[in-house]
């Protein structure tokens, strides 16, 4: 079986699955339950001067039958005293020496305060530290969390304070609520971070109750913007993880977070460069037990693919993420409808007719629509709306033209080399 | 009514007026899988309906306690191999159970969606998706334990012994199954209705157990070909999984007439011969109203019988077959004759009619009593009669083979761990419970395996 042992910036765990900083990693009781269920590590609920939370804190976006496609919260950091959290960390480490316990920290932006907090967390036995520069609500109003994580100078400065005293690896947890996450990645790196965790939650308002007109989650008739997470945010997280992983000025290990619920999600984060994986919402939804399939499924997939360990998976798809300008414009696919699988719902027809390029024909009284190949631009829409897997495939049509990207074309033009405009023009 | 002698009679199957043979395509259609496989899309859609309940009622309703929400979640994530492992580790016959379990009264009956008046998750069909995946590809998901030097002999190779042996083999025990029949699997191979599962499917599961290093010896009857003393000599513990015998005799005149056959024998033929070689009458009467009666009646119909009547001495509310089985019989065109008690089989050189007497229920001392109505005799013409009134118990064999074994009405008496009254002798399945389901037999076998391990696995110092 594939070897899942993990080393993320020097923090070692039996597998890459860590509980993310949040409610499931609030107490020793929970973290030990998580380890018993199979989790390899846990990032403790962010420790700092205890706060007071609101009552009613979470809001959800449901997709028809499926609950919590997206989750939003207006919860702050730990509401328990620092000593209590540290005592429990010590207890967990004593009982589970091989599992990773990472202390997530957020304190006032003062050098001595950070120094003090770092020393105490490490004395308690934490295997590593995660600096929460990401919380998008509440804490930022107090000059912490995203207020730090949105300003590269602050991120760098506080990271460097921590590094002055830290003996264990330091991860900096980034907020996605910025224009370009790599600025913060570079700042963390320059501050001396050993690794980067991302993403924290995304600024959001999940919805409004149309009876009472109150936004959710409602606190005495009002609400506040909160942090969005869960399956819905995965694509945003994947993009940011790959941006950090590819950036030549960063080059430190990544702990991937954001919408991970299955082993497939986990594999995608690994392929885009993550070394460990953190999960919050999926555990809040289904409990610690989900890790069993995550481990089993990931190992089975790695075995089937011939990947002996995580190092052989890490970043494997990164090279395939390029700038748009590098894509081959002379590559062409067209939709093909496999008549034997078609159930006659005609969703592909209407999607193409109204939402794309009028490239599917539907004759009166006919069950299976027909792709007008010379009009099809190969956009994928019909395949995406088709409810039957494998019924519409996108098949490559050799264009007979050498690969050419927009950038190569521009360069050729710049050098005055005559060349044909790549790609095909729509024939409307 | 006297019918002319039939043509196509098969040796040992003397039916005077056999129904005409059907063509192969019709047989295959009639005996096609009653619950066909889900397509991949349907499986994913169905898996997504599972709420992944915690401490789920479906698990509690499964005698083998398969972690159903977990295996369904794994189907949803495309981890079919892991899904099958979750199933087969809990129930080595999970592949059969997916098709033969009365899910309506077990897991699916317990699904929380029922409480919202929604269709329960199709657990059986999903279980089949996962187990088909590994069975069809020969993927090994179970592993034998490191040999611990202990040996266990198991009598019979039906679900009870297979369940016990698989569990023991995974713990490192060397297991030998002694099976009287050439073809192993017990009623799982020879008894389940052909439209649920074919004999070859049952054998395939025996092969799964064999792949754990279990020695399955066919054609060896304990008590005849090998003595119990020999078993004791060769093993540290013995498990009895002999099931039940053929249908109990009704003790009625004419029962030995050609054309009168017991349901177990009839179904056994149907499972082990080409359909066209199984004679069935044009007019068939089935006696009894349990699940075996349904299986006999529906399969007689599917073999080509023109009229199939089930005769039962009580009323429709007393039918002991599961509701959905009863419904299936009616959908197949089987006609029920209630309040009719068989009195004798009529015929000269073969059965020609079943004579019955009408019954009624009367209240006596506050209890419903069944009474025959004097003078109400009537005859149902038939050219085949199938008896399905419960199976014989192996009391005589048990007492002779294991002197001193405690029985309860012919069933082996056990404790919660399958321990009999004789030290190091365990039992489970139909021979203990009097005839339940495959899944109960597997659960019994598992429980006994754990008791065996507790009793011998850790020698007391
Ligand atoms: C017609 C019919 C239909 C059924 N349909 C279903 C169904 O749809 N779903 C379901 O879940 N259950 C069904 N059952 C019940 C199910 O088949 C049984 O509950 C189950 O097979 C019991 O397993 P077992 O191992 O206890 O006994 P069996 O399956 O009876 O196996 C006992 C084995 O022991 C062997 N044996 C007996 N004596 C000796 C001896 N002295 N030496 C060596 N070997 C011996 C026998 O040959 C047999 O192979 C059905 C039963 C019948 C009769
Ligand atoms: C209720 C809730 C509380 C959270 N609290 C913290 C926190 O204290 N510190 C922190 O770094 N992240 C916190 N997070 C963010 C998560 O650690 C994680 O980054 C985010 O939820 C994305 O992952 P997910 O999609 O798996 O939930 C919290 C998230 C939720 C839902
Ligand atoms: S999950 Fe429900 S019961 Fe538990 S604290 Fe939240 S609101 Fe209360």
């Amino acid at each position: 079986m594939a070897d899942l042992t993990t080393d993320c910036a020097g923090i070692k765990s039996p597998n890459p699955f860590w509980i993310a900083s949040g409610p499931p990693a609030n107490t020793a009781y929970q973290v030990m339950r998580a380890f018993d269920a199979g989790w390899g590590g846990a990032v403790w609920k962010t420790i700092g001067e205890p706060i007071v939370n609101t009552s009613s804190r979470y809001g959800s976006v449901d997709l028809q039958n499926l609950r919590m496609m997206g989750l939003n919260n207006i919860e702050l950091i730990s509401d328990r005293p620092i000593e209590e959290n540290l005592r429990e960390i010590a207890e967990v480490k004593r009982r589970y020496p091989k599992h990773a316990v990472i202390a997530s920290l957020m304190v006032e932006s003062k050098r001595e305060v950070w120094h003090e907090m770092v020393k105490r967390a490490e004395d308690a036995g934490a295997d590593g530290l995660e600096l929460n520069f990401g919380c998008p609500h509440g804490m930022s109003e107090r000059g912490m969390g995203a207020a730090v994580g949105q300003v590269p100078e602050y991120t760098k400065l506080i990271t460097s304070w921590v590094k002055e005293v830290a003996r264990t690896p330091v991860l900096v947890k980034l907020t996605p609520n910025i224009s370009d996450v790599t600025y913060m990645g570079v700042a963390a790196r320059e501050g001396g971070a050993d690794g980067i965790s991302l993403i924290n939650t995304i600024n959001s308002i999940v919805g409004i109750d149309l009876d009472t007109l109150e936004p959710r989650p409602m606190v005495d008739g009002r609400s506040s913007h909160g942090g969005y997470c869960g399956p819905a945010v995965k694509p945003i997280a994947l993009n940011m993880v790959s941006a950090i992983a590819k950036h030549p000025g960063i080059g430190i290990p990544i702990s991937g977070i954001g919408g991970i619920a299955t082993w497939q999600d986990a594999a995608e984060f690994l392929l885009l460069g993550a070394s460990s994986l953190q999960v919050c919402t999926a555990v809040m939804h289904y409990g610690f037990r989900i890790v069993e399939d995550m481990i089993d499924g990931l190992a089975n997939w790695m075995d089937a693919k011939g990947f002996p360990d995580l190092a052989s998976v890490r970043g494997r798809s990164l090279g395939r993420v390029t700038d748009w300008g590098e894509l081959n414009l002379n590559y062409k696919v067209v939709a093909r409808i496999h008549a034997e699988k078609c159930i006659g719902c005609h969703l592909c027809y209407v999607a193409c007719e109204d939402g794309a390029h009028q490239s599917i024909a539907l004759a009166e009284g006919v069950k299976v629509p027909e792709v007008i190949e010379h009009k099809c631009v190969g956009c994928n829409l019909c395949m995406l709306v088709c409810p039957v897997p494998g019924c519409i495939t996108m098949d490559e049509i050799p264009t007979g033209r050498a690969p050419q990207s927009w950038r190569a074309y521009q360069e050729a033009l710049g050098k005055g080399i005559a060349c044909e405009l790549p790609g095909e023009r729509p024939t409307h | 009514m006297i019918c002319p002698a039939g043509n196509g009679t098969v040796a040992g199957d003397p039916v005077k007026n056999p129904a005409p043979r059907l063509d192969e395509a019709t047989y295959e259609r009639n005996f096609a899988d009653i619950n066909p496989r889900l397509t991949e899309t349907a499986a994913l859609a169905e898996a997504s309906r599972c709420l992944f309940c915690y401490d789920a009622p479906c698990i509690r309703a499964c005698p083998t306690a398969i972690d159903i929400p977990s295996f369904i979640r794994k189907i949803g994530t495309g981890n079919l191999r892991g899904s099958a492992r979750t199933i087969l580790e809990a129930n080595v016959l999970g592949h059969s159970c997916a098709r033969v379990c009365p899910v309506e009264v077990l897991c699916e009956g317990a699904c929380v969606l029922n409480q919202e008046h929604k269709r329960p998750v199709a657990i059986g069909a999903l279980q089949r998706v996962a187990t088909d995946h590994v069975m069809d590809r020969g993927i090994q998901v179970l592993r034998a334990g490191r040999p611990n030097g202990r040996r266990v002999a198991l009598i019979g190779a039906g679900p009870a012994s297979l369940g016990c042996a698989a569990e023991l083999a995974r713990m490192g025990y060397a297991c030998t199954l002694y099976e009287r029949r050439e073809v192993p699997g017990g009623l799982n191979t020879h008894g389940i209705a052909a439209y649920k599962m074919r004999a070859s499917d049952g054998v395939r599961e025996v092969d799964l157990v064999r792949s754990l290093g279990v020695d399955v010896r066919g054609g060896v009857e304990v008590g005849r070909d090998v003595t119990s003393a020999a078993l004791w000599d060769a093993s540290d513990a013995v498990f009895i999984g002999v099931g039940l015998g053929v249908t109990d005799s009704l003790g009625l005149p004419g029962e030995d007439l050609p054309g009168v056959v017991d349901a177990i024998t009839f179904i056994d033929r149907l499972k082990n011969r080409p359909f066209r070689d199984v004679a069935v009458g044009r007019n068939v009467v089935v006696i009894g109203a349990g699940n075996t009666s349904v299986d006999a009646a529906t399969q007689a119909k599917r073999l080509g019988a023109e009229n199939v009547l089930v005769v039962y001495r009580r009323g429709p509310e007393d039918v002991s077959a599961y509701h959905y089985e009863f419904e299936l019989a009616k959908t197949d065109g089987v006609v029920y004759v209630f309040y009719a008690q068989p009195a004798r089989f009529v015929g000269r050189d073969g059965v020609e009619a079943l004579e019955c007497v009408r019954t009624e229920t009367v209240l006596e001392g506050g209890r419903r009593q069944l009474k025959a109505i004097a003078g109400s005799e009537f005859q149902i013409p038939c050219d085949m009669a199938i008896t399905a009134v419960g199976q014989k118990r192996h009391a005589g064999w048990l007492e002779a083979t294991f002197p001193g074994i405690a029985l309860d009405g012919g069933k082996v008496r056990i404790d919660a761990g399958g321990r009999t009254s004789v030290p190091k002798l365990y039992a489970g399945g139909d021979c203990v419970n009097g005839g339940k389901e495959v899944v109960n037999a597997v659960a019994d076998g598992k429980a006994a395996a754990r008791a065996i391990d507790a009793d011998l696995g850790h020698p007391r110092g």
Side-chain angles (χ1 to χ4, degrees):
Chain A
M1 199 179 102
D3 177 9
L4 294 187
T5 53
T6 298
D7 182 337
C8 180
I11 303 170
K12 296 184 175 59
S13 58
N15 63 55
F17 298 105
W18 298 355
I19 300 291
S21 181
N26 200 28
T27 62
Y29 167 76
Q30 289 168 290
V31 171
M32 291 191 288
R33 246 172 91 86
F35 290 167
D36 288 342
W39 292 87
V43 185
W44 211 269
K45 171 78 188 169
T46 302
I47 303 168
E49 282 309 321
I51 48 73
V52 176
N53 270 312
T54 57
S55 186
S56 168
R57 304 173 195 176
Y58 311 147
S60 158
V61 173
D62 302 338
L63 188 68
Q64 293 173 2
N65 248 342
L66 188 63
R67 299 274 163 161
M68 274 168 64
M69 267 301 294
L71 176 73
N72 148 300
N73 82 87
I74 55 170
E75 170 171 310
L76 307 182
I77 63 171
S78 177
D79 53 10
R80 306 166 71 221
I82 296 175
E83 316 73 73
E84 204 172 304
N85 280 311
L86 296 179
R87 195 172 355 97
E88 292 191 9
I89 286 180
E91 184 192 341
V92 173
K93 268 319 289 183
R94 204 165 45 246
R95 295 218 222 158
Y96 295 81
K98 292 204 173 76
H99 291 69
V101 176
I102 296 114
S104 168
L105 307 175
M106 184 197 286
V107 289
E108 223 185 314
S109 299
K110 287 194 179 135
R111 191 160 172 238
E112 324 74 68
V113 182
W114 273 102
H115 279 182
E116 169 73 10
M117 187 68 245
V118 166
K119 286 183 197 146
R120 290 176 71 189
E122 291 187 337
D123 289 346
D127 299 299
L129 308 172
E130 188 180 84
L131 315 185
N132 179 353
F133 295 163
C135 186
H137 45 261
M139 303 312 291
S140 46
E141 294 162 24
R142 305 171 198 190
M144 294 181 261
V148 174
Q150 286 168 333
V151 183
E153 293 75 19
Y154 295 169
T155 297
K156 180 175 166 185
L157 182 66
I158 296 181
T159 307
S160 67
W161 291 344
V162 169
K163 283 299 290 182
E164 285 164 3
V165 292
R167 288 168 281 130
T168 61
V170 175
L171 307 175
V172 171
K173 184 166 177 179
L174 299 184
T175 173
N177 302 312
I178 36 81
S179 53
D180 181 347
V181 77
T182 60
Y183 287 106
M184 303 305 153
V186 170
R189 170 72 212 249
E190 287 172 358
D194 300 288
I196 288 174
S197 305
L198 80 169
I199 58 174
N200 210 310
T201 54
I202 303 173
N203 278 332
S204 60
I205 291 177
V206 278
I208 299 198
D209 184 317
L210 295 185
D211 279 332
T212 62
L213 312 188
E214 292 158 345
R216 293 179 284 126
M218 187 275 287
V219 180
D220 195 16
R222 306 207 291 171
S223 190
S224 159
H225 78 270
Y228 198 45
C229 49
V233 311
K234 186 183 81 173
I236 297 164
L238 285 176
N239 176 46
M240 292 190 168
V241 165
S242 79
I244 295 284
K246 283 182 78 77
H247 195 286
I250 303 175
I252 48 178
I254 298 169
S255 185
I257 321 170
I260 299 173
T262 65
W263 64 266
Q264 288 124 312
D265 301 329
E268 290 170 335
F269 276 83
L270 294 170
L271 288 167
L272 288 180
S275 295
S276 73
L277 308 153
Q278 300 188 29
V279 181
C280 180
T281 304
V283 170
M284 292 175 68
H285 198 163
Y286 294 115
F288 297 122
R289 63 199 164 128
I290 58 167
V291 78
E292 199 244 332
D293 179 44
M294 293 175 124
I295 293 172
D296 188 43
L298 182 64
N300 284 343
W301 171 77
M302 287 170 62
D303 288 345
K305 289 279 173 198
F307 298 137
D309 52 23
L310 295 176
S312 53
V313 182
R314 191 186 315 124
R316 229 172 217 271
S317 297
L318 262 186
R320 296 172 183 263
V321 181
T322 69
D323 288 341
W324 191 94
E326 304 289 350
L327 300 175
N328 176 11
L329 296 173
N330 284 336
Y331 173 80
K332 181 173 166 67
V333 292
V334 297
R336 203 150 272 164
I337 300 173
H338 298 270
E340 73 287 355
K341 292 194 174 169
C342 175
I343 55 176
C345 70
H346 301 166
L347 286 171
C348 58
Y349 167 77
V350 75
C352 188
E353 194 67 10
D354 294 357
H357 298 88
Q358 303 78 48
S359 310
I360 296 181
L362 181 61
E364 182 71 29
V366 165
K367 176 180 166 190
V368 185
E370 213 174 312
V371 176
I372 309 163
E373 278 198 11
H374 72 273
K375 288 182 79 181
C376 172
V377 301
C379 73
N380 287 355
L381 181 64
C382 54
M383 176 189 73
L384 299 177
V385 300
C386 178
V388 183
C391 174
I392 302 185
T393 54
M394 304 301 299
D395 296 357
E396 184 177 352
I397 301 282
T399 55
R401 302 162 76 184
Q404 194 174 30
S405 66
W406 180 251
R407 210 176 54 108
Y409 176 64
Q410 293 297 317
E411 277 173 7
L413 286 185
K415 291 182 190 148
I417 304 168
C419 68
E420 206 185 331
L421 186 65
E424 286 183 12
R425 249 54 53 217
T427 52
H428 288 293
Chain B
M1 189 176 79
I2 299 183
C3 306
N7 36 23
T9 305
V10 174
D13 237 0
V15 174
K16 289 184 79 175
N17 183 24
R21 299 290 185 258
L22 310 175
D23 59 64
E24 280 310 312
T26 311
Y27 282 127
E28 283 308 321
R29 198 168 53 243
N30 289 354
F31 288 97
D33 228 321
I34 195 161
N35 293 310
R37 291 181 183 212
L38 293 183
T39 63
E40 194 189 329
T41 337
L44 283 175
E46 193 58 25
S48 75
R49 297 183 65 238
C50 174
L51 301 179
F52 198 41
C53 297
Y54 183 70
D55 192 15
C58 53
I59 305 180
R60 274 179 270 133
C62 173
T64 56
I66 296 175
D67 187 345
I68 294 159
S70 285
F71 94 67
I72 294 180
R73 186 173 171 86
K74 291 180 182 187
I75 292 176
T77 69
N79 181 11
L80 288 175
R81 181 198 186 104
S83 179
R85 188 172 54 76
T86 300
I87 296 163
L88 296 174
E89 279 181 356
N91 180 342
V92 72
L93 296 196
H95 187 241
S96 298
C97 285
R99 302 145 174 242
V100 309
C101 266
V103 289
E104 287 82 348
V105 296
L106 297 174
C107 52
E108 292 181 20
C111 177
V112 297
L113 292 183
N114 290 302
Q115 299 187 36
E116 266 204 281
H117 302 289
K118 289 182 184 159
R119 184 172 58 75
V121 174
I123 298 169
L126 288 172
Q127 182 166 321
R128 186 165 166 192
V129 168
T131 52
D132 274 350
H133 175 82
V134 294
M135 294 294 268
D136 291 352
R137 290 166 183 74
I139 299 174
Q140 187 80 23
V141 293
L142 300 180
R143 227 169 300 173
R146 191 200 306 261
N148 64 7
R150 304 270 190 188
R151 287 174 303 174
V152 179
L154 302 97
I155 309 173
S161 294
L162 292 170
C164 186
E167 192 76 3
L168 287 170
R170 292 179 50 220
M171 295 190 280
Y173 289 79
C175 299
T176 307
L177 271 62
Y178 299 90
E179 168 56 56
R180 154 168 91 183
R181 310 267 311 238
E182 287 299 332
V183 181
L187 286 172
N188 199 41
T189 299
H190 305 288
I192 304 286
Y195 48 77
K196 292 183 186 166
M197 215 173 94
R198 299 293 166 88
S200 56
D201 295 313
V203 173
R204 208 149 69 126
E205 278 187 313
V206 177
D207 291 340
L208 171 66
V209 176
R210 279 195 164 119
S211 74
L212 296 172
V214 171
D215 183 9
V216 181
R217 301 190 185 164
V220 183
E221 180 172 330
V222 175
R224 191 191 66 194
D225 305 319
V226 55
T227 62
S228 57
L231 298 192
W232 285 121
D233 282 347
S235 15
D236 300 301
V238 174
F239 176 82
I240 310 174
V242 293
L244 299 168
V246 293
T247 306
D248 256 331
S249 152
L250 296 167
L252 297 179
E255 202 168 343
D256 52 359
L257 276 173
V260 180
V261 60
D262 95 275
I264 307 296
T265 308
F266 171 64
I267 293 169
D268 194 303
R269 281 180 195 151
L270 194 138
K271 293 293 298 272
N272 288 297
R273 294 180 186 173
F275 294 122
R276 57 173 301 100
D277 292 348
V278 185
V280 66
R282 281 179 189 267
N283 299 296
V284 177
V285 170
V286 180
I287 300 163
N291 291 312
T292 299
S293 151
V294 170
D295 285 6
T298 54
Q299 292 183 102
K301 195 85 197 182
R302 286 158 193 250
L303 276 178
E306 285 158 18
N307 298 298
V308 178
L309 260 57
V310 171
V311 173
Y312 184 42
R313 62 200 171 109
R314 298 176 188 273
E317 61 284 358
D318 302 306
V319 165
S320 65
Y322 294 124
H323 176 74
Y324 65 93
E325 294 279 19
F326 185 26
E327 291 301 313
L328 174 70
K330 290 188 281 187
T331 314
D332 273 7
V334 172
V335 174
Y336 279 75
V337 180
F338 292 110
Y339 297 109
Q341 179 165 337
R344 66 185 180 108
F345 298 91
V346 186
R348 254 180 311 155
D349 48 357
V351 67
E352 289 158 19
L354 173 69
E355 184 169 299
C356 300
V357 58
R358 289 245 161 254
T359 61
E360 60 183 349
T361 46
V362 290
L363 275 178
E364 254 177 30
R367 289 182 58 213
R368 277 171 74 218
Q369 296 280 0
L370 195 68
K371 279 258 163 83
I373 303 172
S376 67
E377 288 79 4
F378 67 104
Q379 291 197 353
I380 302 173
C382 63
D383 18 67
M384 186 177 189
I386 305 176
T387 60
V389 292
Q391 292 166 255
K392 282 203 181 88
R393 295 168 181 175
H394 290 304
W397 178 86
L398 287 164
E399 281 165 342
T401 316
F402 298 104
I405 190 171
L407 305 181
D408 274 327
K411 299 182 286 185
V412 183
R413 186 192 297 167
I414 57 164
D415 73 1
R419 296 176 185 86
T420 69
S421 59
V422 176
K424 300 199 174 165
L425 181 64
Y426 304 77
D430 281 4
C431 69
V432 160
N433 61 35
K436 280 189 176 169
E437 311 296 332
V438 171
V439 67
N440 301 98
V442 175
D444 282 3
K446 250 173 76 174
R450 290 183 183 168
I452 291 170
D453 188 53
D455 296 351
L456 341 157
H458 316 286
R460 281 173 206 109

